[in-house]
Amino acid sequence: MLTFLGFAMIATFLVLIMLKKMSPIAALVLIPALFCVFAGQGAQLGGYVIDGVGKLAPTAAMLMFAIVYFGVMIDVGLFDPIVRGILRFCRADPMRVVVGTAVLAAIVSLDGDGSTTFMITVSAMYPLYKRLGMSLVVMTGVAATANGVMNTLPWGGPTARAATALKLDAADIFVPMIPALAAGLVFVFVLAYVLGIKERRRLGLLSLPGAAPQQAEKQAEKSAPQPAEELLVAAAGTGQAAGGTRTPVEPSTPPTAVGTAAGTASGTPSASASASTSASDTASAAGSVTAPDEGGFQGLDPHRATLRPRLYWFNAGLTVALLTAMIMELLPIPVLFLLGAALALTVNYPHMPDQKARIAAHADNVLNVAGMVFAAAVFTGVLTGTGMVKHMADWLVGAIPEGMGPHMALVTGLLSLPLTYFMSNDGFYFGVLPVLAEAGAAHGVSPLEIARASLVGQALHMSSPLVPAVYVLVGMAKVEFGDHTRFTVKWAALTSLVVLGAGMLFGII
């Protein structure tokens, strides 16, 4: 009974979210509460919720102060050189922009924290996507998938959990997996290239003032156009708002209309206009362009008053020190971000009105993300407290045919996709993985192989509704969670299967 209710609750949640019948916060709270009553445990709902909130409170605190810290770093201009470097590479080419998104997300993911990766990636790439009229859901999908592959780093979480649960050394799990994970990352880059080509075909080759063909430059010499690099970093608008022109790759194909809004971080839909294209994933309603006064995100203006160029190296050193302390686990991550945010605010904005203005500027993101985390606490609290998770895991393990015993590593890899998507990493690695390892040991399968196979589902896990960092991603990108899920899940699952296939091909799993 609990097994059926668990699967039914998850299915109901996903269907309502993807059909945009409920906002994520409402669905995360009301659906588990209803199913808790169906399970005959309504009287214990309060205890389950408090337990869930208690477990996720440190995560909420970490995200709150991480948003403030990296928001301040963006305000002071720490990441502006990264943006300029990406602009030089992208050259207003949609394919280059999407590939640049994947590369940037993979590099920043080396810090092991998803929320940090998404904040930096979206802050750098969002103005580009808006300016060129590109699909924002492509940005979120590529960033989440790249981060999911990199999330397997020993300090990223899953590898450490697997090592702890099975009493193994994290290096013994991770190092042999590097070729398979590298194959997965290469696949993400290839995927980004393919999606970028689709965007290029949909939008055409783009030219903006300062980066136009020579003929256009000659005609515009008298008007002294602003360099494209500065234009793209300035306040975001539509693809042609600043006089940009489009050069279609296929003249016979009419230009594609782009929607106007994707929705807010809380999942509340706003008005949108559908594109008259073929049923392409990249032309979904989430891929939209909003005017500067509608989107609420003005891009990285190179002349903004919040810049602190004289403190650049202090801020860079502080960020490196913070990330180093995170990797070395000198203090709990929420404490590190709390201290870092307080120090960054005090040094960069010593006057109280300026500090209040910076906090207020990022309050919207903080409230949305913290609200999502605590709403997710209701969902996870009910799943765990009622015993649904345990019954679901036991049912899945019990459904494995006896003849598959010698292939438990493959089975573990396949099960890691749905289980890490529908469960927290803690629930999977500490609750399910030991059972799978025990079953494998009975057939001579090494716990190391089981542990390595358990990592392949992380590319999909990073888009799970139970991962708080994904709400940072969709919130800052102004993409509805349902649109992100509908677009990303298939590509992330395929990436995980590539990692699994490469692991088997190389004899790692």
Side-chain angles (χ1 to χ4, degrees):
M1 179 63 176
L2 286 176
T3 301
F4 170 77
L5 287 176
F7 283 116
M9 183 173 82
I10 292 171
T12 302
F13 169 78
L14 291 175
V15 168
L16 290 176
I17 288 296
M18 287 191 285
L19 293 179
K20 303 180 186 179
K21 299 299 183 181
M22 293 183 73
S23 70
I25 286 183
L28 285 168
V29 173
L30 296 179
I31 292 173
L34 183 63
F35 275 84
C36 185
V37 174
F38 289 163
Q41 301 183 40
Q44 285 77 43
L45 176 62
Y48 298 155
V49 172
I50 294 300
D51 288 343
V53 169
K55 291 177 181 177
L56 289 181
T59 301
M62 182 272 289
L63 289 175
M64 288 172 62
F65 291 106
I67 289 172
V68 173
Y69 178 82
F70 284 104
V72 170
M73 291 299 108
I74 292 164
D75 293 337
V76 301
L78 179 63
F79 304 113
D80 283 20
I82 297 176
V83 177
R84 289 193 291 270
I86 292 172
L87 289 175
R88 293 190 191 100
F89 168 78
C90 294
R91 300 177 186 173
D93 180 356
M95 183 273 291
R96 287 173 173 257
V97 172
V98 180
V99 172
T101 302
V103 173
L104 178 61
I107 293 173
V108 181
S109 294
L110 289 171
D111 74 341
D113 179 60
S115 58
T116 301
T117 299
F118 296 148
M119 288 186 66
I120 295 174
T121 302
V122 174
S123 297
M125 303 305 296
Y126 182 88
L128 236 64
Y129 279 79
K130 291 261 287 183
R131 193 71 172 180
L132 302 179
M134 294 177 61
S135 172
L136 292 172
V137 78
V138 170
M139 176 181 69
T140 61
V142 168
T145 307
N147 177 252
V149 175
M150 297 297 290
N151 191 48
T152 53
L153 292 168
W155 53 87
T159 302
R161 287 180 174 91
T164 302
L166 301 184
K167 297 179 175 59
L168 301 171
D169 186 270
D172 292 337
I173 299 173
F174 176 74
V175 174
M177 278 292 291
I178 290 177
L181 296 172
L185 194 57
V186 169
F187 177 78
V188 173
F189 294 152
V190 172
L191 173 64
Y193 174 80
V194 172
L195 294 175
I197 292 296
K198 283 187 176 183
E199 282 294 275
R200 180 195 283 173
R201 289 172 179 168
R202 184 172 70 89
L203 297 171
L205 291 175
L206 306 175
S207 298
L208 292 171
Q214 291 182 353
Q215 296 86 347
E217 288 180 353
K218 290 180 180 179
Q219 294 176 359
E221 281 178 355
K222 295 183 180 180
S223 60
Q226 195 177 3
E229 182 176 306
E230 185 171 336
L231 255 170
L232 285 171
V233 184
T238 62
Q240 297 172 321
T245 60
R246 301 180 186 271
T247 305
V249 177
E250 300 177 6
S252 61
T253 303
T256 301
V258 183
T260 58
T264 64
S266 62
T268 305
S270 51
S272 61
S274 59
S276 57
T277 63
S278 60
S280 169
D281 291 322
T282 58
S284 68
S288 59
V289 180
T290 58
D293 58 339
E294 293 172 341
F297 189 96
Q298 302 298 317
L300 298 178
D301 183 356
H303 305 297
R304 58 192 184 278
T306 59
L307 290 175
R308 296 294 185 269
R310 294 182 180 180
L311 294 172
Y312 182 85
W313 291 112
F314 165 80
N315 290 313
L318 178 61
T319 301
V320 171
L322 179 62
L323 297 179
T324 302
M326 285 172 53
I327 294 171
M328 298 179 64
E329 299 181 351
L330 298 181
L331 286 172
I333 294 179
V335 176
L336 288 173
F337 274 119
L338 194 157
L339 294 174
L343 187 58
L345 280 169
T346 302
V347 174
N348 287 286
Y349 305 102
H351 302 294
M352 284 293 294
D354 293 336
Q355 291 184 18
K356 290 181 179 179
R358 291 302 87 216
I359 293 173
H362 304 292
D364 185 46
N365 280 332
V366 170
L367 180 59
N368 282 327
V369 172
M372 289 291 187
V373 172
F374 288 120
V378 180
F379 196 92
T380 58
V382 169
L383 265 179
T384 304
T386 57
M388 291 181 187
V389 163
K390 185 178 184 306
H391 281 75
M392 291 163 64
D394 291 345
W395 180 82
L396 285 172
V397 173
I400 299 172
E402 187 67 24
M404 291 298 293
H407 308 287
M408 278 303 297
L410 172 61
V411 171
T412 300
L414 293 174
L415 287 179
S416 71
L417 274 71
L419 290 181
T420 57
Y421 186 79
F422 297 130
M423 299 171 62
S424 67
N425 271 341
D426 285 339
F428 174 71
Y429 286 103
F430 295 118
V432 179
L433 187 60
V435 177
L436 294 172
E438 185 177 346
H443 294 274
V445 180
S446 166
L448 276 172
E449 291 186 55
I450 299 294
R452 292 166 191 160
S454 71
L455 300 179
V456 304
Q458 289 303 306
L460 179 59
H461 171 74
M462 286 310 297
S463 290
S464 165
L466 303 181
V467 175
V470 74
Y471 298 112
V472 176
L473 175 64
V474 298
M476 292 189 67
K478 305 293 187 293
V479 170
E480 287 199 34
F481 181 78
D483 291 327
H484 170 79
T485 299
R486 191 162 48 246
F487 176 82
T488 306
V489 164
K490 57 182 176 295
W491 301 121
L494 187 56
T495 303
S496 293
L497 292 176
V498 168
V499 174
L500 179 60
M504 296 182 66
L505 181 65
F506 297 144
I508 303 167
I509 298 174

